[in-house]
Amino acid sequence: MKKLAVIGNPISHSLSPSIHGIFAKTLGIDIQYDAIEVETKGFEDRLVSLFLEGYDGLNVTLPLKEQAFALAKKHTETCSATQSANTLWKKDGVLCADSTDGAGLMEDLISKGLNIKGSNIVVLGAGGSSKAILPSLLKAEPREVIILNRTIVKAKNLAEIYNNDKVKVSAGSLIKELPFESDGLINTSSAGLLGQELIHPKNLFNLNSWSYDLSYGEETTKFNELAKKNNISTVHDGLGMLFRQAALSFKIWTDLKPDVEEAMKIFRI
């Protein structure tokens, strides 16, 4: 039996135990998947103890992703690009790390028929969630990506890191007009969740664009509500991304890839 867990703080709200439980059931395997609250202070010692307790793999959530990356000795290419980790395991006694968020997002966009290649994409927010998805987003070869953030310095720092010869990555302000018509909007900001005002450029919403919010819930997210009010008809939340990034972690630990569509149907029952 695989012994797995998600770690972070807070952690009681996590859907990961339910999701991985469904994966295991549909694949006919036996796992134990726990939700464990772990503080940033003393994280290294706690991580060592968890593997000594027999855990085969760990999902890592806020605020531990960057610490997890720093402690791992071996990283995937994507993990190195994001400088954060959401999946940990040991191979031959070596702590390994991956970041499956970006790949999970891209798989979900593809499943929904949302095109990235050659598109003008707006990413709202310049925090850890934005950084986690940008390398995978850029691999899909959009025409241009602009990162918008309240603190423009943070957006400029990300743009400098990820700008390359194939894709122009720039930074913009939430109060200035966009330099192009957007084809797709990806909201990584937590402003809606925190009840903050959703400030945005006047020309953010293009009638032909789609909206994807990394947040999710039983009701339409605040950002997607705003998109609908501005006549954007195609809106999606991040539940599919949550399932798909989880499925990628599950495959790392078990060598089995769950059927995400089947799992999501079961989850909604």
Side-chain angles (χ1 to χ4, degrees), residues 131-187:
K131 194 174 180 180
I133 66 166
L134 278 166
S136 297
L137 183 66
L138 297 180
K139 278 187 179 180
E141 299 180 354
R143 178 178 177 273
E144 186 172 346
V145 173
I146 186 167
I147 305 165
L148 306 182
N149 196 59
R150 286 175 183 262
T151 308
I152 195 167
V153 172
K154 291 184 69 176
K156 285 181 176 179
N157 288 341
L158 280 190
E160 288 175 5
I161 291 171
Y162 295 114
N163 191 36
N164 59 66
D165 295 336
K166 292 183 178 180
V167 183
K168 179 181 178 183
V169 183
S170 60
S173 167
L174 289 171
I175 58 174
K176 292 184 179 180
E177 290 197 1
L178 296 177
F180 56 62
E181 285 192 348
S182 64
D183 297 306
L185 311 173
I186 301 176
N187 181 44

Side-chain angles (χ1 to χ4, degrees), residues 176-223:
K176 292 184 179 180
E177 290 197 1
L178 296 177
F180 56 62
E181 285 192 348
S182 64
D183 297 306
L185 311 173
I186 301 176
N187 181 44
T188 74
S189 168
S190 58
L193 288 172
L194 298 175
Q196 297 172 352
E197 182 183 0
L198 297 172
I199 302 169
H200 62 86
K202 291 180 180 179
N203 66 335
L204 176 65
F205 298 102
N206 172 25
L207 294 182
N208 297 317
S209 66
W210 46 263
S211 169
Y212 191 102
D213 192 343
L214 266 59
S215 299
Y216 53 87
E218 293 183 7
E219 299 179 354
T220 303
T221 68
K222 296 295 184 184
F223 183 79

Side-chain angles (χ1 to χ4, degrees), residues 86-138:
N86 75 340
T87 308
L88 298 174
W89 71 100
K90 281 197 171 184
K91 184 175 181 179
D92 299 326
V94 176
L95 184 62
C96 303
D98 196 2
S99 176
T100 65
D101 288 327
L105 170 64
M106 297 313 302
E107 285 191 8
D108 203 43
L109 293 178
I110 291 168
S111 77
K112 291 172 169 55
L114 303 180
N115 182 52
I116 294 296
K117 189 170 184 177
S119 299
N120 290 327
I121 304 297
V122 179
V123 175
L124 293 101
S129 296
S130 179
K131 194 174 180 180
I133 66 166
L134 278 166
S136 297
L137 183 66
L138 297 180

